[in-house]
Coordinates of all heavy atoms in Angstrom, one line a residue:
M260 N 4.4 30.6 -8.1 CA 3.7 29.4 -8.8 C 2.2 29.8 -9.2 O 1.8 29.4 -10.3 CB 3.7 28.2 -7.9 CG 3.3 27.0 -8.6 SD 4.2 26.6 -10.1 CE 3.7 25.0 -10.4
K261 N 1.5 30.4 -8.3 CA 0.1 30.8 -8.6 C 0.1 31.7 -9.7 O -0.9 31.6 -10.6 CB -0.6 31.4 -7.3 CG -0.8 30.4 -6.3 CD -1.5 31.1 -5.1 CE -1.7 30.1 -4.0 NZ -2.5 30.7 -2.8
L262 N 1.1 32.6 -9.9 CA 1.1 33.6 -11.0 C 1.2 32.9 -12.3 O 0.6 33.2 -13.3 CB 2.2 34.6 -10.7 CG 2.3 35.6 -11.9 CD1 1.1 36.5 -12.0 CD2 3.5 36.5 -11.6
V263 N 2.1 31.9 -12.3 CA 2.4 31.1 -13.6 C 1.1 30.4 -13.9 O 0.8 30.3 -15.1 CB 3.5 30.0 -13.2 CG1 3.6 29.1 -14.4 CG2 4.8 30.8 -13.0
I264 N 0.4 29.8 -12.9 CA -0.9 29.1 -13.2 C -1.9 30.0 -13.8 O -2.6 29.8 -14.8 CB -1.4 28.3 -12.0 CG1 -0.4 27.2 -11.6 CG2 -2.8 27.8 -12.2 CD1 -0.7 26.5 -10.4
A265 N -2.0 31.2 -13.2 CA -2.9 32.2 -13.6 C -2.7 32.6 -15.1 O -3.6 32.8 -15.9 CB -3.0 33.4 -12.7
I266 N -1.4 32.9 -15.4 CA -1.0 33.4 -16.7 C -1.4 32.2 -17.7 O -1.9 32.4 -18.8 CB 0.5 33.7 -16.7 CG1 0.8 35.0 -16.0 CG2 1.0 33.8 -18.2 CD1 2.2 35.3 -15.8
Y267 N -1.1 31.0 -17.3 CA -1.4 29.8 -18.2 C -2.8 29.7 -18.5 O -3.3 29.6 -19.6 CB -0.9 28.5 -17.5 CG -1.4 27.3 -18.3 CD1 -0.9 26.8 -19.4 CD2 -2.6 26.7 -17.7 CE1 -1.4 25.8 -20.2 CE2 -3.1 25.5 -18.5 CZ -2.5 25.1 -19.7 OH -3.0 24.0 -20.4
L268 N -3.7 29.8 -17.5 CA -5.1 29.8 -17.6 C -5.7 30.9 -18.5 O -6.6 30.7 -19.3 CB -5.8 29.8 -16.3 CG -5.7 28.5 -15.5 CD1 -6.2 28.6 -14.1 CD2 -6.3 27.3 -16.3
V269 N -5.2 32.2 -18.3 CA -5.5 33.2 -19.2 C -5.2 32.9 -20.7 O -6.0 33.0 -21.6 CB -4.9 34.6 -18.8 CG1 -5.1 35.6 -19.8 CG2 -5.6 35.0 -17.4
L270 N -4.0 32.5 -20.9 CA -3.5 32.2 -22.2 C -4.2 31.1 -22.9 O -4.7 31.2 -24.1 CB -2.0 31.9 -22.2 CG -1.0 33.2 -21.9 CD1 0.4 32.8 -21.9 CD2 -1.2 34.2 -23.0
I271 N -4.4 30.0 -22.2 CA -5.1 28.8 -22.8 C -6.6 29.2 -23.1 O -7.1 28.7 -24.1 CB -5.0 27.6 -21.9 CG1 -5.4 26.3 -22.7 CG2 -5.8 27.6 -20.6 CD1 -4.6 26.0 -23.9
N272 N -7.1 30.0 -22.3 CA -8.5 30.4 -22.5 C -8.7 31.3 -23.7 O -9.6 31.2 -24.5 CB -9.3 31.0 -21.3 CG -9.7 29.9 -20.4 OD1 -10.7 29.2 -20.7 ND2 -9.0 29.6 -19.3
I273 N -7.7 32.2 -23.9 CA -7.6 33.1 -25.1 C -7.4 32.2 -26.3 O -8.2 32.4 -27.4 CB -6.5 34.2 -24.9 CG1 -7.0 35.2 -23.8 CG2 -6.3 34.9 -26.3 CD1 -5.9 36.1 -23.4
I274 N -6.4 31.3 -26.3 CA -6.1 30.5 -27.4 C -7.5 29.6 -27.8 O -7.7 29.5 -28.9 CB -5.0 29.6 -27.1 CG1 -3.7 30.4 -27.1 CG2 -4.9 28.4 -28.1 CD1 -2.5 29.7 -26.5
T275 N -8.1 29.1 -26.7 CA -9.3 28.3 -27.0 C -10.4 29.0 -27.6 O -11.0 28.7 -28.7 CB -9.7 27.6 -25.7 OG1 -8.6 26.8 -25.2 CG2 -10.9 26.7 -25.9
F276 N -10.6 30.3 -27.2 CA -11.7 31.1 -27.6 C -11.4 31.5 -29.2 O -12.3 31.3 -30.0 CB -11.8 32.5 -26.8 CG -12.8 33.4 -27.3 CD1 -14.1 33.2 -27.0 CD2 -12.4 34.4 -28.1 CE1 -15.0 34.1 -27.5 CE2 -13.4 35.5 -28.5 CZ -14.6 35.3 -28.3
I277 N -10.2 31.8 -29.4 CA -9.7 32.1 -30.8 C -9.9 30.8 -31.7 O -10.4 31.0 -32.8 CB -8.4 32.7 -30.9 CG1 -8.3 34.0 -30.2 CG2 -7.8 32.7 -32.2 CD1 -6.9 34.6 -30.0
T278 N -9.5 29.7 -31.2 CA -9.6 28.5 -31.9 C -11.1 28.1 -32.3 O -11.4 27.8 -33.4 CB -9.0 27.3 -31.2 OG1 -7.6 27.7 -30.9 CG2 -9.0 26.0 -32.1
Y279 N -12.0 28.3 -31.4 CA -13.4 28.1 -31.7 C -13.9 29.1 -32.7 O -14.7 28.7 -33.6 CB -14.3 28.2 -30.3 CG -14.4 27.0 -29.6 CD1 -13.2 26.4 -29.1 CD2 -15.6 26.3 -29.4 CE1 -13.4 25.2 -28.2 CE2 -15.7 25.2 -28.7 CZ -14.6 24.6 -28.2 OH -14.7 23.5 -27.4
G280 N -13.4 30.3 -32.7 CA -13.8 31.4 -33.7 C -13.2 30.9 -35.1 O -14.0 31.1 -36.1
M281 N -12.0 30.5 -35.1 CA -11.4 30.1 -36.3 C -12.2 28.9 -36.9 O -12.4 28.9 -38.1 CB -9.9 29.7 -36.1 CG -9.0 31.0 -35.9 SD -7.3 30.4 -35.4 CE -6.9 29.0 -36.4
D282 N -12.5 27.9 -36.0 CA -13.2 26.8 -36.6 C -14.6 27.2 -37.2 O -15.1 26.6 -38.2 CB -13.4 25.7 -35.5 CG -13.9 24.4 -36.1 OD1 -13.4 23.9 -37.1 OD2 -14.9 23.9 -35.5
K283 N -15.2 28.0 -36.5 CA -16.5 28.6 -37.0 C -16.4 29.3 -38.4 O -17.1 28.9 -39.3 CB -17.2 29.5 -36.0 CG -18.5 30.1 -36.5 CD -19.6 29.1 -36.6 CE -20.9 29.8 -37.0 NZ -22.0 28.8 -37.0
R284 N -15.4 30.0 -38.5 CA -15.0 30.7 -39.8 C -14.7 29.7 -40.8 O -15.2 29.8 -42.0 CB -13.9 31.7 -39.7 CG -13.6 32.4 -41.0 CD -12.5 33.3 -40.8 NE -13.1 34.5 -40.1 CZ -12.5 35.7 -40.2 NH1 -11.3 35.8 -40.7 NH2 -13.1 36.8 -39.6
L285 N -14.0 28.7 -40.6 CA -13.6 27.6 -41.5 C -15.0 26.9 -41.9 O -15.1 26.5 -43.0 CB -12.6 26.6 -40.9 CG -11.3 27.2 -40.7 CD1 -10.3 26.3 -39.9 CD2 -10.6 27.5 -42.0
A286 N -15.8 26.7 -40.9 CA -17.1 26.0 -41.3 C -17.9 26.7 -42.2 O -18.5 26.2 -43.2 CB -17.9 25.7 -39.9
I287 N -18.0 28.0 -42.0 CA -18.8 28.9 -42.9 C -18.2 28.9 -44.3 O -18.9 28.9 -45.2 CB -18.8 30.3 -42.4 CG1 -19.6 30.4 -41.0 CG2 -19.3 31.3 -43.4 CD1 -19.5 31.7 -40.3
K288 N -16.8 28.8 -44.4 CA -16.2 28.9 -45.7 C -16.1 27.5 -46.4 O -15.5 27.3 -47.4 CB -14.8 29.5 -45.6 CG -14.9 31.0 -45.2 CD -13.5 31.6 -45.2 CE -13.6 33.1 -45.0 NZ -12.3 33.7 -45.2
H289 N -16.6 26.4 -45.7 CA -16.5 25.0 -46.2 C -15.2 24.6 -46.4 O -14.8 24.0 -47.4 CB -17.4 24.9 -47.4 CG -18.8 25.2 -47.2 ND1 -19.7 24.5 -46.5 CD2 -19.6 26.3 -47.6 CE1 -20.9 25.0 -46.5 NE2 -20.8 26.2 -47.1
K290 N -14.3 25.0 -45.5 CA -12.8 24.6 -45.6 C -12.5 23.5 -44.5 O -13.4 23.2 -43.6 CB -11.9 25.8 -45.3 CG -12.1 26.9 -46.4 CD -11.0 27.7 -46.7 CE -11.2 28.6 -47.8 NZ -10.1 29.4 -48.2
W291 N -11.2 23.0 -44.6 CA -10.7 22.1 -43.6 C -10.9 22.5 -42.2 O -10.5 23.6 -41.9 CB -9.3 21.7 -44.0 CG -8.8 20.4 -43.3 CD1 -8.1 20.4 -42.2 CD2 -9.0 19.1 -43.7 NE1 -7.8 19.1 -41.7 CE2 -8.4 18.3 -42.7 CE3 -9.6 18.5 -44.7 CZ2 -8.4 16.9 -42.8 CZ3 -9.6 17.2 -44.8 CH2 -9.0 16.4 -43.8
R292 N -11.5 21.7 -41.3 CA -11.8 22.2 -40.0 C -10.9 21.7 -38.9 O -10.1 20.8 -39.1 CB -13.1 21.6 -39.6 CG -14.3 21.9 -40.7 CD -15.0 23.3 -40.5 NE -15.5 23.3 -39.1 CZ -16.6 22.8 -38.7 NH1 -17.4 22.1 -39.6 NH2 -17.1 22.9 -37.4
I293 N -11.0 22.3 -37.8 CA -10.2 21.9 -36.6 C -11.0 20.7 -36.0 O -12.3 20.9 -35.9 CB -10.1 23.0 -35.6 CG1 -9.3 24.2 -36.2 CG2 -9.5 22.5 -34.3 CD1 -9.3 25.5 -35.5
S294 N -10.4 19.6 -35.6 CA -11.1 18.5 -35.2 C -11.8 18.7 -33.8 O -11.4 19.5 -33.0 CB -10.2 17.2 -35.0 OG -9.4 17.4 -33.8
E295 N -12.9 18.0 -33.6 CA -13.7 18.1 -32.4 C -12.9 17.6 -31.2 O -13.0 18.3 -30.1 CB -15.1 17.3 -32.5 CG -16.1 17.9 -33.4 CD -17.4 17.2 -33.4 OE1 -17.5 16.1 -32.8 OE2 -18.4 17.8 -33.9
A296 N -12.0 16.6 -31.5 CA -11.1 16.3 -30.4 C -10.2 17.3 -29.9 O -9.9 17.5 -28.7 CB -10.3 14.9 -30.9
T297 N -9.7 18.1 -30.9 CA -8.8 19.2 -30.5 C -9.6 20.3 -29.7 O -9.1 20.8 -28.8 CB -8.2 19.9 -31.8 OG1 -7.4 18.8 -32.5 CG2 -7.3 21.1 -31.4
L298 N -10.8 20.6 -30.1 CA -11.6 21.6 -29.4 C -11.9 21.1 -28.0 O -11.8 21.9 -27.1 CB -13.0 21.9 -30.2 CG -12.7 22.5 -31.5 CD1 -14.0 22.5 -32.3 CD2 -12.1 23.8 -31.5
I299 N -12.3 19.9 -27.8 CA -12.5 19.3 -26.5 C -11.3 19.3 -25.6 O -11.2 19.6 -24.5 CB -13.2 17.9 -26.6 CG1 -14.6 18.0 -27.1 CG2 -13.2 17.2 -25.2 CD1 -15.7 18.6 -26.2
L300 N -10.2 18.9 -26.3 CA -8.9 18.9 -25.6 C -8.4 20.2 -25.1 O -8.0 20.4 -23.9 CB -7.8 18.4 -26.6 CG -6.3 18.3 -25.9 CD1 -6.2 17.3 -24.7 CD2 -5.3 17.9 -26.9
L301 N -8.7 21.3 -25.8 CA -8.4 22.6 -25.4 C -9.2 23.0 -24.2 O -8.7 23.6 -23.2 CB -8.6 23.6 -26.5 CG -7.6 23.6 -27.6 CD1 -8.0 24.5 -28.8 CD2 -6.2 24.1 -27.1
A302 N -10.5 22.6 -24.1 CA -11.3 22.8 -23.0 C -10.7 22.0 -21.8 O -10.6 22.6 -20.6 CB -12.7 22.4 -23.2
A303 N -10.3 20.8 -22.0 CA -9.9 19.9 -21.0 C -8.6 20.3 -20.3 O -8.4 20.0 -19.1 CB -9.8 18.5 -21.5
I304 N -7.7 21.0 -21.1 CA -6.4 21.4 -20.5 C -6.4 22.8 -19.8 O -5.4 23.4 -19.7 CB -5.3 21.3 -21.5 CG1 -5.4 22.2 -22.7 CG2 -5.1 19.8 -22.0 CD1 -4.3 22.3 -23.7
G305 N -7.6 23.2 -19.6 CA -7.8 24.5 -18.9 C -8.5 25.6 -19.6 O -8.8 26.7 -19.1
G306 N -8.9 25.3 -20.9 CA -9.6 26.4 -21.6 C -11.1 26.2 -21.7 O -11.8 26.7 -22.6
S307 N -11.7 25.7 -20.6 CA -13.2 25.5 -20.7 C -13.9 26.8 -20.7 O -15.0 26.9 -21.2 CB -13.6 24.7 -19.4 OG -13.2 25.3 -18.2
I308 N -13.5 27.8 -20.1 CA -14.2 29.1 -20.1 C -14.1 29.7 -21.5 O -15.1 30.2 -22.0 CB -13.6 30.1 -19.1 CG1 -13.9 29.6 -17.6 CG2 -14.1 31.5 -19.2 CD1 -13.1 30.3 -16.6
G309 N -12.9 29.6 -22.1 CA -12.8 30.1 -23.5 C -13.6 29.3 -24.5 O -14.2 29.8 -25.4
A310 N -13.7 28.0 -24.2 CA -14.6 27.1 -25.1 C -16.1 27.5 -24.9 O -16.7 27.7 -25.9 CB -14.3 25.7 -24.7
F311 N -16.4 27.6 -23.7 CA -17.8 28.1 -23.4 C -18.2 29.4 -24.1 O -19.2 29.6 -24.8 CB -18.2 28.1 -22.0 CG -19.7 28.4 -21.7 CD1 -20.6 27.5 -21.9 CD2 -20.0 29.7 -21.3 CE1 -22.0 27.8 -21.6 CE2 -21.3 30.1 -21.0 CZ -22.2 29.1 -21.2
L312 N -17.3 30.4 -23.9 CA -17.6 31.7 -24.4 C -17.5 31.7 -25.9 O -18.3 32.3 -26.6 CB -16.5 32.7 -23.9 CG -16.6 33.1 -22.5 CD1 -15.4 34.0 -22.1 CD2 -18.0 33.8 -22.2
G313 N -16.6 30.9 -26.5 CA -16.5 30.7 -28.0 C -17.7 30.1 -28.5 O -18.2 30.5 -29.6
M314 N -18.3 29.2 -27.8 CA -19.5 28.5 -28.2 C -20.7 29.6 -28.3 O -21.5 29.6 -29.2 CB -20.0 27.4 -27.3 CG -19.1 26.1 -27.5 SD -19.4 24.9 -26.2 CE -21.1 24.5 -26.4
Q315 N -20.7 30.4 -27.4 CA -21.8 31.4 -27.2 C -21.6 32.6 -28.2 O -22.5 32.9 -28.9 CB -21.9 31.9 -25.7 CG -22.2 30.9 -24.7 CD -23.4 30.0 -25.0 OE1 -24.4 30.5 -25.3 NE2 -23.2 28.7 -25.0
V316 N -20.4 33.1 -28.2 CA -20.1 34.3 -29.1 C -20.3 33.9 -30.5 O -20.9 34.7 -31.3 CB -18.8 34.9 -28.7 CG1 -18.3 35.9 -29.8 CG2 -18.8 35.5 -27.3
F317 N -19.7 32.8 -30.9 CA -19.7 32.4 -32.3 C -20.8 31.5 -32.7 O -20.9 31.1 -33.9 CB -18.3 31.7 -32.7 CG -17.1 32.6 -32.4 CD1 -16.2 32.2 -31.4 CD2 -16.9 33.8 -33.1 CE1 -15.1 32.9 -31.0 CE2 -15.8 34.6 -32.7 CZ -14.9 34.2 -31.7
R318 N -21.7 31.1 -31.8 CA -22.8 30.2 -32.0 C -22.2 29.0 -32.7 O -22.8 28.5 -33.7 CB -23.9 30.8 -32.7 CG -24.5 32.0 -32.0 CD -25.7 32.5 -32.8 NE -26.2 33.7 -32.1 CZ -26.9 34.7 -32.8 NH1 -27.2 34.6 -33.9 NH2 -27.3 35.7 -32.1
H319 N -21.2 28.4 -32.0 CA -20.5 27.3 -32.6 C -20.6 26.0 -31.7 O -20.4 26.2 -30.5 CB -19.0 27.6 -32.8 CG -18.3 26.7 -33.7 ND1 -18.7 26.2 -34.9 CD2 -17.0 26.1 -33.5 CE1 -17.9 25.4 -35.4 NE2 -16.8 25.3 -34.6
K320 N -20.9 25.0 -32.3 CA -21.1 23.6 -31.6 C -22.2 23.6 -30.6 O -22.2 22.8 -29.7 CB -19.7 23.3 -30.9 CG -18.5 23.1 -31.8 CD -18.8 21.9 -32.8 CE -17.5 21.7 -33.7 NZ -17.8 20.7 -34.7
T321 N -23.0 24.5 -30.7 CA -24.2 24.6 -29.7 C -25.3 23.5 -30.0 O -26.2 23.5 -29.1 CB -24.8 26.0 -29.7 OG1 -25.2 26.4 -31.1 CG2 -23.8 27.1 -29.3
K322 N -25.2 22.8 -31.0 CA -26.2 21.7 -31.3 C -25.6 20.4 -31.0 O -26.2 19.4 -31.2 CB -26.7 21.8 -32.7 CG -27.5 23.1 -33.0 CD -28.1 23.1 -34.3 CE -28.9 24.5 -34.6 NZ -29.3 24.6 -35.9
H323 N -24.3 20.3 -30.7 CA -23.6 19.1 -30.4 C -23.6 18.8 -28.9 O -23.0 19.5 -28.2 CB -22.2 19.1 -30.9 CG -22.1 19.4 -32.4 ND1 -22.0 18.3 -33.3 CD2 -22.2 20.5 -33.2 CE1 -21.9 18.8 -34.6 NE2 -22.1 20.1 -34.5
M324 N -24.3 17.8 -28.5 CA -24.5 17.5 -27.1 C -23.1 17.3 -26.4 O -23.0 17.7 -25.2 CB -25.4 16.3 -26.8 CG -26.9 16.5 -27.1 SD -27.4 17.8 -25.9 CE -27.9 19.1 -27.1
K325 N -22.1 16.8 -27.0 CA -20.8 16.5 -26.4 C -20.1 17.8 -26.0 O -19.4 17.8 -25.1 CB -19.9 15.6 -27.2 CG -19.3 16.2 -28.4 CD -18.1 15.3 -29.0 CE -18.6 14.8 -30.3 NZ -17.5 14.0 -30.9
F326 N -20.6 18.9 -26.7 CA -20.0 20.2 -26.4 C -21.0 20.9 -25.4 O -20.5 21.5 -24.4 CB -19.9 21.1 -27.6 CG -18.7 20.6 -28.4 CD1 -18.8 19.7 -29.4 CD2 -17.5 21.2 -28.2 CE1 -17.7 19.3 -30.2 CE2 -16.3 20.9 -29.0 CZ -16.5 19.8 -29.9
V327 N -22.3 20.9 -25.7 CA -23.3 21.6 -24.8 C -23.2 20.9 -23.4 O -23.4 21.7 -22.4 CB -24.7 21.3 -25.3 CG1 -25.8 21.8 -24.3 CG2 -24.8 22.1 -26.7
I328 N -23.0 19.7 -23.2 CA -22.9 19.0 -21.9 C -21.4 18.9 -21.4 O -21.1 19.2 -20.4 CB -23.6 17.7 -21.9 CG1 -25.0 17.7 -22.1 CG2 -23.3 16.9 -20.6 CD1 -25.8 16.5 -22.4
G329 N -20.5 18.5 -22.4 CA -19.2 18.3 -22.1 C -18.4 19.4 -21.6 O -17.6 19.4 -20.6
V330 N -18.5 20.6 -22.2 CA -17.7 21.8 -21.8 C -18.1 22.3 -20.4 O -17.2 22.4 -19.6 CB -17.8 22.9 -22.9 CG1 -17.3 24.2 -22.4 CG2 -17.1 22.5 -24.1
P331 N -19.4 22.3 -20.1 CA -19.7 22.7 -18.7 C -19.2 21.7 -17.6 O -18.8 22.0 -16.5 CB -21.3 22.9 -18.6 CG -21.6 23.2 -20.0 CD -20.6 22.5 -20.9
V332 N -19.4 20.4 -18.0 CA -18.9 19.3 -17.1 C -17.4 19.4 -16.9 O -16.9 19.4 -15.7 CB -19.3 18.0 -17.6 CG1 -18.6 16.8 -16.9 CG2 -20.8 17.8 -17.6
I333 N -16.6 19.7 -17.9 CA -15.2 19.9 -17.8 C -15.0 21.1 -16.9 O -14.0 21.0 -16.0 CB -14.5 20.1 -19.2 CG1 -14.6 18.8 -20.0 CG2 -13.1 20.6 -19.0 CD1 -14.1 18.9 -21.4
F334 N -15.6 22.1 -17.1 CA -15.5 23.3 -16.2 C -15.7 23.0 -14.7 O -14.9 23.3 -13.9 CB -16.4 24.5 -16.7 CG -16.4 25.7 -15.8 CD1 -15.2 26.4 -15.7 CD2 -17.4 26.1 -15.0 CE1 -15.1 27.6 -14.9 CE2 -17.4 27.2 -14.2 CZ -16.2 28.0 -14.2
I335 N -16.8 22.3 -14.5 CA -17.1 21.9 -13.1 C -16.0 21.1 -12.5 O -15.6 21.3 -11.4 CB -18.5 21.2 -13.0 CG1 -19.6 22.4 -13.3 CG2 -18.7 20.6 -11.7 CD1 -21.0 21.7 -13.6
L336 N -15.5 20.1 -13.2 CA -14.5 19.2 -12.8 C -13.2 20.0 -12.5 O -12.5 19.8 -11.6 CB -14.2 18.1 -13.8 CG -15.3 17.1 -13.9 CD1 -15.0 16.1 -15.0 CD2 -15.6 16.3 -12.7
Q337 N -12.9 21.0 -13.3 CA -11.7 21.8 -13.2 C -11.9 22.7 -11.9 O -10.9 22.9 -11.1 CB -11.5 22.7 -14.3 CG -11.0 21.9 -15.6 CD -10.9 22.7 -16.8 OE1 -11.5 23.8 -16.9 NE2 -10.3 22.2 -17.9
I338 N -13.1 23.2 -11.6 CA -13.2 24.0 -10.4 C -13.1 23.1 -9.1 O -12.5 23.4 -8.2 CB -14.8 24.6 -10.4 CG1 -14.8 25.6 -11.5 CG2 -15.1 25.2 -9.0 CD1 -13.9 26.8 -11.3
I339 N -13.7 21.9 -9.2 CA -13.5 21.0 -8.1 C -12.0 20.6 -7.9 O -11.5 20.6 -6.8 CB -14.3 19.6 -8.4 CG1 -15.8 19.9 -8.3 CG2 -13.9 18.5 -7.4 CD1 -16.7 18.8 -8.8
L340 N -11.3 20.3 -8.9 CA -9.9 20.0 -8.8 C -9.2 21.2 -8.3 O -8.3 21.0 -7.3 CB -9.3 19.7 -10.2 CG -7.9 19.4 -10.3 CD1 -7.5 18.1 -9.5 CD2 -7.4 19.2 -11.8
A341 N -9.5 22.4 -8.7 CA -8.8 23.6 -8.3 C -9.1 23.8 -6.7 O -8.1 24.1 -6.0 CB -9.2 24.9 -9.0
L342 N -10.3 23.6 -6.3 CA -10.7 23.7 -4.9 C -9.9 22.6 -4.0 O -9.4 22.9 -3.0 CB -12.1 23.6 -4.7 CG -13.0 24.8 -5.3 CD1 -14.4 24.4 -5.1 CD2 -12.6 26.1 -4.5
F343 N -9.8 21.5 -4.6 CA -9.1 20.4 -3.9 C -7.6 20.7 -3.7 O -7.0 20.5 -2.7 CB -9.3 19.1 -4.7 CG -8.5 17.9 -4.1 CD1 -9.0 17.3 -2.9 CD2 -7.4 17.5 -4.6 CE1 -8.4 16.2 -2.3 CE2 -6.7 16.4 -4.0 CZ -7.2 15.8 -2.9
I344 N -7.0 21.2 -4.8 CA -5.5 21.6 -4.8 C -5.3 22.7 -3.8 O -4.4 22.7 -3.0 CB -5.0 22.0 -6.2 CG1 -5.0 20.7 -7.1 CG2 -3.7 22.5 -6.2 CD1 -4.8 20.8 -8.5
L345 N -6.2 23.8 -3.9 CA -6.0 24.9 -3.0 C -6.2 24.6 -1.5 O -5.6 25.2 -0.6 CB -6.9 26.1 -3.4 CG -6.6 26.7 -4.8 CD1 -7.6 27.7 -5.1 CD2 -5.2 27.4 -4.8
K346 N -7.1 23.6 -1.3 CA -7.4 23.2 0.1 C -6.2 22.4 0.7 O -6.0 22.4 1.9 CB -8.7 22.5 0.1 CG -9.3 22.3 1.5 CD -10.7 21.7 1.4 CE -11.4 21.7 2.7 NZ -12.6 21.0 2.7
S347 N -5.5 21.8 -0.1 CA -4.4 20.9 0.3 C -3.2 21.6 0.9 O -2.9 22.7 0.5 CB -3.9 19.9 -0.8 OG -4.9 19.1 -1.2

């Protein structure tokens, strides 16, 4: 089961990172964008590391407080949840 969770987390973080990069590219080209709700949702379902790295690498959403504060808060909550689950 731990292997399945590890694979899921790797995949969701890769997907999230790529999605942040795609949204940045779409923003530069003034095209239809990926919604902020989708970007936050990807972080919330396990892609917080990918979201944070995407923000840094692509310099994307770094002026939006809901991302600057929200993504690290989501990450911290996920760490607390993981520690709680592993301790049980």
Side-chain angles (χ1 to χ4, degrees):
M260 185 63 169
K261 288 182 183 179
L262 178 61
V263 172
I264 294 170
I266 291 169
Y267 169 78
L268 289 173
V269 168
L270 290 176
I271 193 64
N272 279 286
I273 290 170
I274 290 167
T275 303
F276 179 80
I277 291 169
T278 304
Y279 273 66
M281 287 172 41
D282 190 51
K283 177 65 175 195
R284 178 176 284 196
L285 292 169
I287 291 169
K288 293 183 176 190
H289 303 287
K290 298 208 174 186
W291 192 264
R292 306 273 304 281
I293 297 165
S294 73
E295 288 186 348
T297 299
L298 296 174
I299 291 289
L300 177 64
L301 286 169
I304 62 171
S307 57
I308 295 170
F311 181 78
L312 291 175
M314 288 171 60
Q315 302 307 309
V316 170
F317 303 115
R318 296 184 188 158
H319 191 48
K320 299 294 184 188
T321 56
K322 294 181 181 177
H323 298 264
M324 284 300 118
K325 74 169 114 179
F326 287 89
V327 172
I328 295 170
V330 170
V332 167
I333 291 168
F334 175 69
I335 291 167
L336 291 173
Q337 289 172 345
I338 293 297
I339 292 168
L340 179 63
L342 290 174
F343 179 76
I344 290 170
L345 291 174
K346 197 173 189 180
S347 299

